[in-house]
Amino acid sequence: MVGKVLGIRELEQFSSRRSSIYVDPECEKFFELPLFIAASSNDITTKCQCWQFSPGKEPALRSFTEIQQLLQQNKKRDVKNILRENSWPINSPIRSQLWPALCAQHLTKQNMLDGFYWEMVHQVFGTTELSEKPIMLPAFVDATHCLPYHLTSTGRAVADRIVNVLGYDCPDITYSPVLYPITSLLLHFMSEEEAYLCLAGLVGSKEKTFINQTKLQHEVTWKTVMQIAKKHTKSAIAYFQRICPGQKLERVFMDWCWWILAGLPFQHLVRIMDCYFHEGIKVLYRVALVILNLFHKECQSNNEWSPDNIKNDIGNALIKFCKKIPVSPAKLLHAAFSIRGLSTQYISRIFIKTEMLLKSRSALNSGSKQLIKSRSSDNLPTSQSQVNIQMMSHTLTIRELFTLWSWLPVRITMYQPVLLYTTEEHGCSLTTFYVRVEQHEPTLLMIKTCNNEVFGAYCSSRWLERNVKDDKGQRQAYFGTGETFLFSLYPERAKYPWVGIEGDRDLGHSSELFMAADSKMITIGGGEGQAIWMDENIRFGKTDACKTFNNPPLCPSGDFEIRVLEVYGFVGV
């Protein structure tokens, strides 16, 4: 089971790193310090190498018990601040508890009880014994980036098994090159089963993005990073464009995540993961911007990174620079979290805008009569779902359903629609509406008026968020995200997306009034008018032009009487 992991050259090359590996005794003579026994139940990564920190007074570090109490109290901001400020040593046992706890808060599948993972292993491989033969990796893995981070051959086999089981349990993952490296990182600090549960939490997270799972998401992400960099690292971008006028920036940013995952020393990477497992991919965005600025600064003062040396391949030069990055993990994170104007809302706006541009381009390339392809057949609901909607719906024809489907975010088209609420069956009560709808995200809200007008909204967030309170205990009037959009199907056929997608400028508070609700009404859109407003009896409503969506009134009269209200959710989301 024990096998040689690192040769002499590799040990010299990675002398600035510390790693948790199952080490061949013959290799121990190359290490500077005794081996530290880590908490691990599967004896695959039970020994880790502790590289010496520079001497100096270490600040008092917070314990896992303190963080656990804050997580239980849902004090996520306090946890965020602790994770950013506490530089636990690489050999600290805290991560064997901390990382699983951070990932568990994102877990949406509540049926993952003890033994679930091993049942899945047996189902996929027919045995829980680890095969000595190589395991074929799933198609979503990028073979060129299966970074093992010093795992032994046994540790790599375990990583192979984990990603196979995850692919079996999550068939919607079609492209995810970062999944394998993150699996390897997790195995340094926990057992195989715990690592799988952590990944399940990250992949299934609804509130935050951690791991891209399709080629579209992958492309949208690196293009988002590029757009953000053009605003927040202008000098670095201008420098690269000046010295490499013929090289497209796109080629550089396509590998942005590998600056971090394949370039940075292990101790830097582990500290970044402390924050990433809580806050999501935005941590990596921030670190990437700091790397660009540091590299630009180094290019101006260090001949090793002179224009002649890097102009032919900036991408590889960036990764080489990261391997010997001239700042400590603490300074790197401090600089990353000091970047101003990089809010989650701003990042979301850029991401959604980029996604919509790519979707539009794909639709144009495939022909005006074809819809964007996805894992679902022709990007449409199944035949059975179409039949069900024809039988149940009083607002949607099949043609209108197809039109709506072409407007949905691509990831949602993988799922099938289900009718959650209709006034025809469940009555005209806002209370009943909330009971049947509030836990679902996203939802499609369809209105048919007594004048036969048909319009509605794609609502990106749960209606339950109407009860969420801010840090001061005040209920926030509006909620939702920029994925929310309005539409009209009859007599006019039109989609009205969020105005923030049209540009990167700050549009003010009135442009972000997506959804609002209480016991007396429902509102969608705001700012000098409400795009859709309905009363508590779901009988009367009104529609105006509003700043959030820059829409006209969705029916000519402005006021309307509701004949039918229908709300659809999506199975499996």
Side-chain angles (χ1 to χ4, degrees), residues 18-33:
R18 296 174 294 167
S19 58
S20 305
I21 53 177
Y22 196 95
V23 183
D24 188 320
E26 293 182 4
C27 295
E28 292 185 17
K29 59 186 177 182
F30 302 119
F31 294 120
E32 298 175 357
L33 293 175

Side-chain angles (χ1 to χ4, degrees), residues 120-134:
M120 291 291 295
V121 169
H122 195 277
Q123 191 172 347
V124 175
F125 296 102
T127 178
T128 57
E129 295 295 322
L130 193 62
S131 174
E132 295 181 0
K133 297 180 180 180

Side-chain angles (χ1 to χ4, degrees), residues 57-75:
K57 185 178 180 181
E58 293 185 3
L61 298 173
R62 304 294 283 272
S63 69
F64 172 69
T65 301
E66 295 176 271
I67 299 173
Q68 186 180 39
Q69 289 174 348
L70 292 172
L71 286 173
Q72 291 170 346
Q73 296 166 9
N74 202 34
K75 294 184 177 180

